[in-house]
Amino acid sequence: MLRRRRANRANLPKKPCDFQVRIHIIEARKLVGQNINPVVNVRVFDQVQPTGVKKGTNKPLFDQMFYFSFHMSPREFLEKVVTIEVMNSRTLRSDSLIGSFQFDTGLCYDFENHTILQKWLLLTNPMDANGGAKGYLKISASVYGPNDEVKRYPKAALDDSCDIESNLLRPAGVELTPCTFSVRLYRAEDVPQMDTALFEGVKKVLGVGSKKRKELVDPYVVMNFAGNKSKTSVLYNNENPEWEEQLQVGCKFPSMCDRIRLRIKDKDNFNKDDTVGTCYLNLSEISAPGENGFLPTFGPAWVNVYGSPREYSDLPDEYDYLNMGILEGISYRARLLVEVSTVLNKLPEEPSPQGIEPADVARVNQYFLRRRGFTLRAAFMDATMLPESVSDAPISFEVSMGNYGNQLDPNLPPCSSTTQPTNPISDGEHYFYLPWADSKPCVSVDCQWEDIHYRLDALNILKSICDRLEANVHRVHHMVEAAAPPAEAARAFIELIDLLRKDLGDPRRQLPDLPSLQTVTPLDRHMHEMRSQELQAIRNEADLLRQSATDIAEALNEAESYTHRLRNLAFEAQNCMPDVVVWMLSNKKRLAYARIPASEVLYSHHTDGTKWMEACGKNCGKPQTVYLKWPPKKDSVSPKCEVPAVLRMVFWFGLEAHASDWLRCADEGEMSVFAETYENEAHLLGWGKTGLTRPHWSDVNGKMRLNKEHFDPPPDGWSWNGEWFKNPEMSLSFGKDTGKSEFVEDVYEYETRIPGTSWSRAKQSWGNVRGDETAHRDETELASGWMWKDQEWTVDTNRACDEGGFEYTLDPSMAGYVPVERNYHLCRRRRWIRRRGRDMSSKKLKKKEEKMAKLLEKAKEGWEYSRLFSTKFHSSEQKIDLVRRRRWHRKLVASGAASAPVFFFQDKDEDDIHHQVTPRMFMSFKEPHRYQLRVYLYQARNIRSSDQSGLSDPYCYVSFSRETQKSIMLEATIMPTWDQTLIFDDVELYGDPKVVAAVPPDVRVELYDYDTIGKDEFLGRSVIKPHIRLDNRNAPRLDWYPIKFFDKDAGELLAAFHLMLNEGDELPFAPERMTAPNDTLYRVPSGIRPVMQLMRVEALCWGVRDVKRCQLLSVDRPHVTISVGGAQMHTDPIKKMKKSPNYENPLLIFQKVELPKEELYMPPLNISIFDNRAFGRTPLVGTHSVIHMREYKRDDKRFLAEPPGEQESTAGSATGSPTEHAIDMGSTDDAVPLVASSPKKSADQDKPKKEVDEEDRKATFVDWWSKYYASTTEDDERAVDYNEKYTDMIEVFEEPLEKVFGGFNDFVDSFPVFRGKGQRGEDD
């Protein structure tokens, strides 16, 4: 090995040559200290480069690359030392060293490919020889000499998949402490079925085997940590296994591995063992470094396991990969009772697993298995933004917690955890919604969990303090960015600090004391002590900061560090409460989900039973917006861009003893409970019971016989309020054109023939797509409130048909139409279409008709019709309908302290089967409150480029409540300025306006790129809380809102959103309209749009470099186009790139451009490069956008005033803003200096310039040294001649010019130019 290394060095030349050192700082772990702000300083010889500062973390992710270049002899270079120091960055004091690591460049050069690839460095403190390890840093380093091949680093793995211990580099003499991690696994609960029940069914038919239900799962647990693995024994046929075993692994402490992985598996004798689910224990959450820290400890406590849905199927599970713990689990799978402990200076002596002492098992069974009754309530206020892909079938929602509330699990008792199936209705533009009107569905889930209020109360208090501090810091940051007066910003900052000191000193927000219970674990005590000390330290520092703060920027950074420190405390590792999961169901399939932490909706109370506001979850009893998500796909290249649904919900979760407090959340609504049953009939020689495939009276799914007599008597504590009544589903009364402003009316023309004859009109010649008879197309009645947009009916040929529009089939009752005619075809049809649109002048008539339709609907018999019970129902009977049903309700009212309304009955017609039935729950409102929303869309910047040209054709969908509107489309830009106001009139919102003002619904803005061919492409989404004032005063200000493309940044949106109560008060006047052809649309009003001023913009386009090919050809004659504020200018083309890549006339001057007066609203400056080719073609080479122009702004009046005189521009041509004059830079003799000197008045000042130049050339030669001495000294013999003849002086700086002029960035900057579709990647 040594010979091979020496051979590598022998290939280097002996003379000085070029070397490059490349170091990639990836991440750090286990850094010693609390509340540190780590930064890495990379020092190679005499060059130092720092990383960015990561605030408030012991495991920062840097992912930064550094380059160092040297020119020296190989022997000298390979002896240079590389020092990597991890520092704790501090604002008011000098940085302190956490740990460092040193190696010489020769060590790196001797590795394979001269690269240290993704190695961990053990950090130590040279000043503390006995201090041990100070943390770990992951890096890659390369040293390249002459003729060495440069290779790209592979992407670094940020998990524990690799063997970390084998990739560790340690300084000489540093040893790690051996330790033993012990994980006790007591038991598990709710392990789902994993094996088929086929053989159990055969045994049941044959009457053999046990009658007891067999639990079809054989679970065991595998523990992984730091490359070591251990597993428990297998317990067969047990869904609630009790292992009572201890697993041990040995490792070195402190270990770089941060997670203990626990994986439940199912033993399979014939195939590979199945994975039930995976969970992790993070060591950073169950331990603390430093002198006051503690070793990893946990529990005994329950750990929840998530993965794929619990429902078992003999077919392969399409979401089985979620059980591996790589992606977010979408459903509760099981829970484990776990205890973790750590012992230093000891390695495991006995193999795992080991038994647990019976006394410890008895202690856990006595204290940690106690349960209390909890109740989860939820009200669905709205369900909007449903995509068209889920609009074909009724939609319902399920709320579950753990396995409680799972309606698709046949082994669980029923509960009111789902809403009634409802048909989606179009919002008229882009999405669908569920028409719940004034009866909002509610759900209730009763469950049993451990009472851990003392943990979750402390968590919620910390989160509330942190949320308020973050909001205040953001407000002050916004004021500083908006260039608010310093006194006003300072006053806001002082208010921020005072509020923080008040929160930390308020007795109502003090952390609750730990109860004197046996369930309090060592980790609870450690966390309570650490949190108390840290909160006190933050308060002391806040007191000091309030007294000593002088600079607002530094003080804000210090306040921001408080938020990181508080956020690091706001977690709970021993949270036994599973998440609340909301599912969207359709046709018994799970489509989309959302997981909500139970702590966020938890109701907390004092010892006297009163509400403890500060300890309640932030969304307990308050309306909140829930965004559902599609289940994550494995290796999904193009995930779905649309949101499955947006729900407006109210949650409440608390003890059953406090369930009555849920009624206080009704907020102008009345809770109603209804018993429900369905009357079913089939069509066989008339409607009746004959031919039914389900009971005549049943539940909505038809699985249970539910006669009206089964509901008598009512449950204990409940009584009937009235008789049974028909209550049809209101969504069935809405047609396909509901909510749409334009609709395509269609009718089909049918023809038949006898084999061997020609086509002729059928007996039923006109019908719909299902074959039901309709009137002739010319006799089709136009619905009231509509008007025809097309003059005549036309044949629809834009479908699978022949030239005449016909499609053919053998029998129309069998469907199966094809576009090609065959001799055996006996029927054909073609589709006639005609567009109709809303008559906007008949709004009042439309409202009357809608009210009349509702009254008529209530008066109907309430039947719903369908071909089969499994297909979608509709309100009007059709020819092909074979079944029908109608819903009956009967109201229940509580009398006194009522329990959950559950009906228990015994069905004598089905072998005395016992059933449990839960009623439907609704929150009923008398009438909604009406609002008006005004959306002021002004512009966006740096949005995604979707076209190959590097630009997009953006437009917006703006959604609020049950309405969606579309903005205008702008062509070929990534910096669009819409300048448009969208008005949402008569928006109906239910609930107290004060509650709506406190927690308003979100406004969703989605950006799309218009494509003439294919589907429009999604560009990003922004979610905003509207500005709301019930008195309709104080119009909002425009602000920048982030645009997200999934989890990535995709630009910013400049807009304002004003929600106004429209109940009697006068609303502001409508804004002025746009010019043609958009004269029906509104502009942003002058009171909200930015205040503009005339400004002068100068741009010096020096040249272009490293231009890649464009459209397979090299770029030879490029020109630059610069646009800002609606004005545009371009340079003259470069004559020959290969000869000179610089522009002859590089200066572009926008003499008068209207730009915002406030820097916050300053538009970007767009730089585009075009290539000038034959036949006048100018393809786009690339673009760049200067987002923030603040650093280029000059407040000097010389830049704002118009220079005297008028000169013609020779720099290029302009559009939008005329150029009256420019500085001529064609001749170096006549050039105006960028930094003008201050000459004394000369006797030759009045002479023409050419004449003065001639005389100067004939004058006596004066060297630069004379000018230097004249400028630096007053009396110097060497400057006498210069002082007599010249007045110009030079300014001499004692520092390098790069430092004085900021790297000369005040003169030129380099801007990377990009072209193509999508955002810039890692390789750009």
Side-chain angles (χ1 to χ4, degrees):
M1 177 67 70
L2 183 60
R3 290 181 179 178
R4 181 166 59 85
R5 291 182 177 179
R6 297 303 180 188
N8 290 339
R9 299 191 182 189
N11 296 329
L12 293 172
K14 296 182 179 180
K15 62 181 181 179
C17 53
D18 292 329
F19 290 93
Q20 185 185 75
V21 179
R22 180 180 302 181
I23 297 180
H24 183 199
I25 305 298
I26 302 173
E27 62 173 324
R29 293 186 186 177
K30 301 292 183 180
L31 298 180
V32 176
Q34 296 181 359
N35 309 316
I36 59 175
N37 303 319
V39 59
V40 179
N41 291 333
V42 182
R43 183 189 304 272
V44 182
F45 188 33
D46 58 347
Q47 301 182 27
V48 181
Q49 296 188 40
T51 65
V53 178
K54 303 298 180 180
K55 296 185 178 181
T57 177
N58 293 77
K59 48 179 182 179
L61 174 63
F62 296 102
D63 194 18
Q64 289 183 245
M65 187 79 71
F66 300 98
Y67 302 89
F68 303 87
S69 298
F70 300 92
H71 183 80
M72 58 181 64
S73 65
R75 174 177 295 183
E76 183 183 5
F77 171 75
L78 295 178
E79 294 177 355
K80 297 302 180 185
V81 176
V82 179
T83 303
I84 300 178
E85 297 176 330
V86 181
M87 312 291 291
N88 179 19
S89 177
R90 295 182 291 195
T91 303
L92 303 178
R93 293 174 292 172
S94 60
D95 296 351
S96 61
L97 177 66
I98 297 176
S100 63
F101 191 93
Q102 288 185 344
F103 61 92
D104 56 41
T105 53
L107 174 68
C108 183
Y109 192 81
D110 292 335
F111 270 80
E112 184 179 359
N113 296 323
H114 314 309
T115 299
I116 298 175
L117 184 59
Q118 296 183 14
K119 294 289 185 179
W120 287 94
L121 307 181
L122 190 148
L123 303 175
T124 58
N125 191 342
M127 305 300 296
D128 186 7
N130 300 323
K134 302 298 182 182
Y136 301 90
L137 181 68
K138 188 177 185 180
I139 72 163
S140 293
S142 300
V143 174
Y144 296 114
N147 302 322
D148 288 336
E149 181 182 359
V150 178
K151 294 186 177 180
R152 178 173 296 174
Y153 293 147
K155 187 175 182 180
L158 300 179
D159 54 15
D160 298 335
S161 58
C162 59
D163 187 2
I164 296 179
E165 301 292 344
S166 63
N167 289 327
L168 178 64
L169 299 180
R170 291 182 295 177
V174 177
E175 295 293 336
L176 297 178
T177 305
C179 72
T180 298
F181 281 98
S182 299
V183 178
R184 290 185 173 186
L185 291 162
Y186 292 94
R187 60 175 61 207
E189 289 182 351
D190 303 330
V191 182
Q193 176 184 343
M194 298 298 293
D195 301 327
T196 180
L198 176 62
F199 297 106
E200 295 301 314
V202 173
K203 290 180 181 180
K204 185 176 181 181
V205 173
L206 298 178
V208 298
S210 175
K211 294 184 179 180
K212 185 179 179 181
R213 184 180 69 88
K214 186 176 180 181
E215 298 169 353
L216 301 171
V217 61
D218 309 319
Y220 67 96
V221 177
V222 179
M223 181 192 71
N224 290 80
F225 180 74
N228 301 311
K229 182 171 68 173
S230 182
K231 63 181 180 180
T232 66
S233 57
V234 181
L235 298 184
Y236 294 92
N237 301 324
N238 198 336
E239 65 182 13
N240 297 298
E242 300 179 9
W243 291 286
E244 299 175 358
E245 294 177 350
Q246 178 175 273
L247 306 179
Q248 292 184 339
V249 295
C251 64
K252 301 293 184 178
F253 189 84
S255 175
M256 289 174 294
C257 294
D258 190 54
R259 298 194 299 179
I260 300 175
R261 189 182 71 190
L262 300 175
R263 178 168 289 169
I264 306 177
K265 307 203 74 172
D266 171 60
K267 183 68 176 178
D268 200 321
N269 295 326
F270 302 102
N271 299 318
K272 185 179 178 180
D273 293 354
D274 300 321
T275 299
V276 178
T278 305
C279 62
Y280 294 92
L281 296 177
N282 295 322
L283 295 189
S284 60
E285 296 180 354
I286 62 175
S287 64
E291 297 179 358
N292 299 325
F294 52 91
L295 295 174
T297 179
F298 181 86
W302 291 96
V303 180
N304 301 301
V305 182
Y306 299 92
S308 63
R310 293 176 54 89
E311 294 78 38
Y312 176 78
S313 174
D314 292 329
L315 300 175
D317 186 1
E318 61 175 329
Y319 300 116
D320 181 61
Y321 53 88
L322 297 177
N323 299 327
M324 305 301 292
I326 300 174
L327 301 174
E328 181 187 44
I330 61 178
S331 179
Y332 169 84
R333 299 282 292 177
R335 62 200 310 240
L336 293 169
L337 184 56
V338 180
E339 183 179 7
V340 178
S341 60
T342 307
V343 180
L344 292 180
N345 299 314
K346 183 181 179 181
L347 292 175
E349 299 178 356
E350 299 180 10
S352 297
Q354 305 171 11
I356 304 177
E357 294 294 332
D360 294 336
V361 175
R363 176 180 61 87
V364 170
N365 292 340
Q366 180 180 359
Y367 297 110
F368 292 90
L369 298 183
R370 293 179 179 177
R371 309 291 171 88
R372 295 191 66 179
F374 285 83
T375 298
L376 173 65
R377 302 283 176 86
F380 291 79
M381 306 300 290
D382 277 312
T384 58
M385 286 189 71
L386 278 75
E388 188 176 3
S389 58
V390 302
S391 63
D392 295 334
I395 297 293
S396 62
F397 295 95
E398 175 196 271
V399 177
S400 62
M401 188 173 181
N403 205 26
Y404 295 99
N406 186 352
Q407 289 292 324
L408 300 185
D409 191 339
N411 300 319
L412 293 176
C415 64
S416 302
S417 61
T418 57
T419 65
Q420 75 279 9
T422 307
N423 294 313
I425 302 300
S426 173
D427 64 5
E429 187 63 56
H430 189 59
Y431 292 108
F432 291 76
Y433 68 92
L434 299 186
W436 284 326
D438 52 3
S439 295
K440 309 297 183 181
C442 299
V443 297
S444 177
V445 178
D446 295 328
C447 45
Q448 301 281 332
W449 305 112
E450 299 77 18
D451 189 0
I452 56 170
H453 266 93
Y454 57 93
R455 294 176 186 164
L456 300 186
D457 288 349
L459 177 64
N460 287 331
I461 290 174
L462 289 171
K463 285 186 175 180
S464 64
I465 296 175
C466 189
D467 290 341
R468 278 190 292 272
L469 179 58
E470 285 182 344
N472 292 332
V473 169
H474 176 75
R475 179 172 58 88
V476 179
H477 263 303
H478 191 276
M479 294 177 63
V480 173
E481 291 179 356
E488 184 179 346
R491 188 162 48 252
F493 178 78
I494 294 299
E495 182 181 354
L496 177 154
I497 294 298
D498 289 341
L499 290 175
L500 174 62
R501 295 167 63 240
K502 180 180 178 182
D503 283 346
L504 296 178
D506 192 345
R508 297 174 299 175
R509 296 187 176 93
Q510 294 296 318
L511 297 181
D513 295 330
L514 293 178
S516 57
L517 299 175
Q518 296 293 333
T519 55
V520 175
T521 65
L523 182 58
D524 290 327
R525 299 186 183 93
H526 289 309
M527 291 299 299
H528 185 271
E529 182 181 359
M530 185 180 69
R531 286 168 172 170
S532 300
Q533 293 176 355
E534 185 64 13
L535 291 178
Q536 184 62 41
I538 293 176
R539 176 167 183 178
N540 294 339
E541 294 178 19
D543 293 339
L544 179 62
L545 181 62
R546 191 186 189 283
Q547 299 173 4
S548 60
T550 55
D551 183 80
I552 186 66
E554 292 184 359
L556 266 180
N557 289 334
E558 190 70 16
E560 191 173 354
S561 70
Y562 298 158
T563 65
H564 292 288
R565 293 164 64 178
L566 288 172
R567 192 62 69 187
N568 289 337
L569 298 176
F571 67 88
E572 180 52 61
Q574 300 179 133
N575 187 358
C576 306
M577 296 288 186
D579 291 345
V580 177
V581 182
V582 182
W583 275 103
M584 182 169 72
L585 308 176
S586 180
N587 289 333
K588 299 181 182 180
K589 293 183 179 180
R590 300 187 182 275
L591 301 182
Y593 77 102
R595 279 176 54 179
I596 302 169
S599 61
E600 293 185 359
V601 296
L602 178 67
Y603 176 84
S604 185
H605 58 91
H606 291 282
T607 53
D608 58 359
T610 59
K611 185 176 181 180
W612 190 2
M613 282 291 300
E614 290 73 17
C616 289
K618 64 179 182 179
N619 294 321
C620 176
K622 302 176 183 177
Q624 70 174 108
T625 303
V626 179
Y627 292 85
L628 300 190
K629 298 184 289 186
W630 303 108
K633 293 292 184 179
K634 185 178 181 181
D635 301 329
S636 179
V637 179
S638 56
K640 294 182 179 180
C641 61
E642 66 266 15
V643 177
V646 177
L647 306 179
R648 178 81 168 168
M649 301 183 66
V650 181
F651 284 96
W652 187 95
F653 173 64
L655 293 171
E656 289 182 351
H658 307 127
S660 58
D661 289 342
W662 154 252
L663 300 177
R664 302 175 185 174
C665 306
D667 185 25
E668 294 191 356
E670 178 186 358
M671 296 299 301
S672 303
V673 181
F674 294 93
E676 180 182 272
T677 185
Y678 278 82
E679 181 183 3
N680 306 304
E681 290 186 355
H683 191 276
L684 185 65
L685 301 177
W687 292 105
K689 303 179 183 178
T690 307
L692 274 176
T693 58
R694 57 172 60 184
H696 179 46
W697 296 88
S698 71
D699 62 341
V700 64
N701 296 319
K703 294 182 178 180
M704 186 186 307
R705 186 188 304 275
L706 284 181
N707 296 332
K708 294 181 179 179
E709 297 78 12
H710 290 158
F711 293 91
D712 287 322
D716 294 338
W718 296 83
S719 59
W720 296 115
N721 183 9
E723 297 297 327
W724 289 93
F725 64 95
K726 291 170 286 189
N727 189 9
E729 173 57 48
M730 295 300 296
S731 63
L732 298 175
S733 61
F734 293 94
K736 291 184 177 181
D737 57 356
T738 301
K740 295 185 177 181
S741 58
E742 184 176 313
F743 187 76
V744 178
E745 191 75 42
D746 65 344
V747 64
Y748 285 81
E749 179 184 4
Y750 288 86
E751 294 184 356
T752 59
R753 70 177 178 185
I754 300 174
T757 62
S758 60
W759 294 101
S760 61
R761 288 191 176 275
K763 183 178 180 181
Q764 178 184 316
S765 57
W766 296 94
N768 57 20
V769 66
R770 292 179 293 271
D772 300 324
E773 185 175 5
T774 61
H776 190 277
R777 67 174 187 269
D778 295 331
E779 299 175 359
T780 301
E781 294 183 2
L782 182 64
S784 58
W786 293 83
M787 57 186 299
W788 291 116
K789 281 198 166 187
D790 294 334
Q791 297 296 327
E792 300 292 339
W793 291 84
T794 57
V795 176
D796 182 14
T797 57
N798 189 22
R799 54 201 300 268
C801 59
D802 60 11
E803 294 182 350
F806 285 103
E807 51 185 353
Y808 304 85
T809 186
L810 178 64
D811 185 355
S813 62
M814 299 173 59
Y817 284 89
V818 296
V820 181
E821 181 182 1
R822 294 290 183 263
N823 291 332
Y824 53 81
H825 286 150
L826 302 180
C827 180
R828 71 175 184 178
R829 68 179 184 183
R830 59 179 172 180
R831 183 179 183 232
W832 292 80
I833 59 175
R834 190 177 182 184
R835 293 184 306 132
R836 53 183 168 95
R838 289 283 184 189
D839 186 0
M840 304 308 294
S841 62
S842 57
K843 280 189 176 181
K844 295 183 179 180
L845 178 62
K846 175 186 171 185
K847 291 182 179 180
K848 290 182 179 179
E849 290 174 350
E850 288 177 352
K851 290 182 180 180
M852 185 62 65
K854 290 182 180 180
L855 294 175
L856 294 176
E857 181 64 28
K858 292 182 179 180
K860 287 183 179 179
E861 291 297 320
W863 288 107
E864 308 170 6
Y865 300 87
S866 180
R867 297 183 63 182
L868 300 171
F869 282 111
S870 59
T871 57
K872 186 176 180 179
F873 282 84
H874 43 266
S875 59
S876 57
E877 183 179 359
Q878 299 173 358
K879 182 179 179 180
I880 59 176
D881 291 332
L882 299 178
V883 296
R884 69 177 183 179
R885 70 181 185 184
R886 58 181 172 183
R887 185 174 66 178
W888 291 80
H889 276 173
R890 191 176 185 184
K891 189 174 182 179
L892 285 164
V893 293
S895 54
S899 58
V902 180
F903 293 91
F904 300 91
F905 64 91
Q906 187 175 3
D907 193 349
K908 298 182 180 180
D909 296 334
E910 296 183 357
D911 299 329
D912 293 339
I913 297 178
H914 294 270
H915 293 293
Q916 299 181 30
V917 179
T918 56
R920 295 285 186 192
M921 299 174 61
F922 296 91
M923 185 181 291
S924 302
F925 293 86
K926 293 183 179 179
E927 60 182 10
H929 294 276
R930 298 188 179 276
Y931 297 82
Q932 184 185 92
L933 174 70
R934 295 192 180 185
V935 177
Y936 305 106
L937 284 177
Y938 192 68
Q939 68 180 15
R941 64 187 182 190
N942 201 29
I943 66 174
R944 287 173 56 85
S945 56
S946 180
D947 299 333
Q948 294 298 333
S949 62
L951 303 174
S952 297
D953 305 320
Y955 64 91
C956 295
Y957 281 119
V958 182
S959 299
F960 182 74
S961 186
R962 296 179 294 177
E963 187 176 351
T964 301
Q965 293 190 27
K966 183 179 179 181
S967 73
I968 58 176
M969 187 269 293
L970 302 178
E971 296 181 352
T973 178
I974 57 174
M975 304 290 173
T977 300
W978 292 287
D979 192 11
Q980 182 179 0
T981 298
L982 302 177
I983 299 179
F984 293 72
D985 209 358
D986 289 335
V987 178
E988 296 182 351
L989 296 178
Y990 292 86
D992 189 351
K994 295 181 180 179
V995 177
V996 175
V999 193
D1002 292 340
V1003 180
R1004 281 85 58 181
V1005 181
E1006 294 186 321
L1007 278 71
Y1008 282 85
D1009 170 62
Y1010 174 78
D1011 290 327
T1012 55
I1013 300 176
K1015 187 178 180 181
D1016 293 351
E1017 188 168 347
F1018 178 68
L1019 298 178
R1021 178 182 296 108
S1022 185
V1023 179
I1024 304 102
K1025 291 288 185 184
H1027 170 84
I1028 179 171
R1029 289 292 298 268
L1030 300 181
D1031 54 5
N1032 299 337
R1033 299 176 182 176
N1034 297 334
R1037 285 170 50 91
L1038 292 174
D1039 201 356
W1040 291 103
Y1041 299 97
I1043 300 173
K1044 293 291 184 179
F1045 183 79
F1046 300 102
D1047 294 332
K1048 299 179 181 179
D1049 293 331
E1052 292 179 292
L1053 176 71
L1054 182 60
F1057 305 85
H1058 194 190
L1059 183 62
M1060 298 171 285
L1061 187 63
N1062 188 11
E1063 293 182 346
D1065 294 342
E1066 293 185 1
L1067 298 177
F1069 293 107
E1072 62 175 328
R1073 296 185 182 272
M1074 295 183 177
T1075 57
N1078 299 316
D1079 51 357
T1080 59
L1081 306 177
Y1082 298 101
R1083 298 184 63 191
V1084 176
S1086 57
I1088 296 177
R1089 65 169 48 251
V1091 178
M1092 312 298 284
Q1093 67 177 357
L1094 291 177
M1095 299 187 71
R1096 172 188 172 101
V1097 179
E1098 298 182 4
L1100 182 66
C1101 303
W1102 195 270
V1104 293
R1105 304 289 189 272
D1106 302 329
V1107 183
K1108 296 182 180 180
R1109 289 176 174 266
C1110 179
Q1111 298 179 359
L1112 304 179
L1113 297 177
S1114 61
V1115 177
D1116 195 40
R1117 300 183 66 243
H1119 76 265
V1120 174
T1121 298
I1122 295 181
S1123 58
V1124 58
Q1128 180 174 306
M1129 294 185 69
H1130 62 82
T1131 64
D1132 297 328
I1134 294 178
K1135 295 181 179 179
K1136 198 70 174 177
M1137 269 284 294
K1138 294 181 179 179
K1139 184 177 180 181
S1140 175
N1142 297 334
Y1143 291 98
E1144 293 184 358
N1145 301 315
L1147 187 62
L1148 301 180
I1149 297 180
F1150 297 82
Q1151 192 60 50
K1152 294 181 180 180
V1153 183
E1154 285 191 353
L1155 294 177
K1157 189 174 183 179
E1158 297 185 59
E1159 294 182 2
L1160 182 66
Y1161 303 143
M1162 188 68 69
L1165 184 142
N1166 301 322
I1167 304 174
S1168 303
I1169 300 180
F1170 297 87
D1171 189 23
N1172 294 265
R1173 296 181 177 176
F1175 306 106
R1177 294 184 299 118
T1178 55
L1180 177 66
V1181 177
T1183 61
H1184 181 90
S1185 298
V1186 181
I1187 304 299
H1188 302 288
M1189 296 180 60
R1190 182 182 307 168
E1191 56 183 306
Y1192 302 102
K1193 186 177 179 181
R1194 300 292 182 266
D1195 294 330
D1196 196 324
K1197 296 181 179 180
R1198 294 176 298 172
F1199 294 94
L1200 301 178
E1202 184 175 340
E1206 295 184 0
Q1207 301 178 10
E1208 295 183 358
S1209 173
T1210 61
S1213 59
T1215 60
S1217 181
T1219 301
E1220 298 180 356
H1221 57 270
I1223 299 176
D1224 185 7
M1225 298 186 64
S1227 172
T1228 56
D1229 293 335
D1230 299 339
V1232 179
L1234 293 176
V1235 181
S1237 58
S1238 301
K1240 300 176 183 178
K1241 192 165 183 178
S1242 171
D1244 298 332
Q1245 186 174 0
D1246 297 331
K1247 295 183 180 181
K1249 187 171 183 59
K1250 287 187 177 182
E1251 185 177 344
V1252 174
D1253 292 342
E1254 291 293 335
E1255 293 183 3
D1256 287 344
R1257 280 192 288 268
K1258 296 178 181 180
T1260 306
F1261 174 77
V1262 179
D1263 63 342
W1264 279 92
W1265 283 110
S1266 299
K1267 188 173 184 179
Y1268 169 76
Y1269 292 127
S1271 302
T1272 55
T1273 60
E1274 295 182 358
D1275 298 325
D1276 196 315
E1277 297 178 356
R1278 293 168 290 185
V1280 173
D1281 294 339
Y1282 185 86
N1283 289 330
E1284 292 178 353
K1285 297 183 179 182
Y1286 300 95
T1287 58
D1288 289 341
M1289 299 296 175
I1290 61 174
E1291 185 177 356
V1292 180
F1293 301 96
E1294 297 181 357
E1295 294 182 301
L1297 297 182
E1298 289 82 359
K1299 293 185 178 180
V1300 177
F1301 294 101
F1304 298 115
N1305 287 334
D1306 60 333
F1307 184 61
V1308 292
D1309 272 338
S1310 296
F1311 299 103
V1313 178
F1314 298 93
R1315 179 184 72 249
K1317 187 176 180 180
Q1319 293 292 86
R1320 299 188 292 272
E1322 296 179 355
D1323 299 338
D1324 292 334

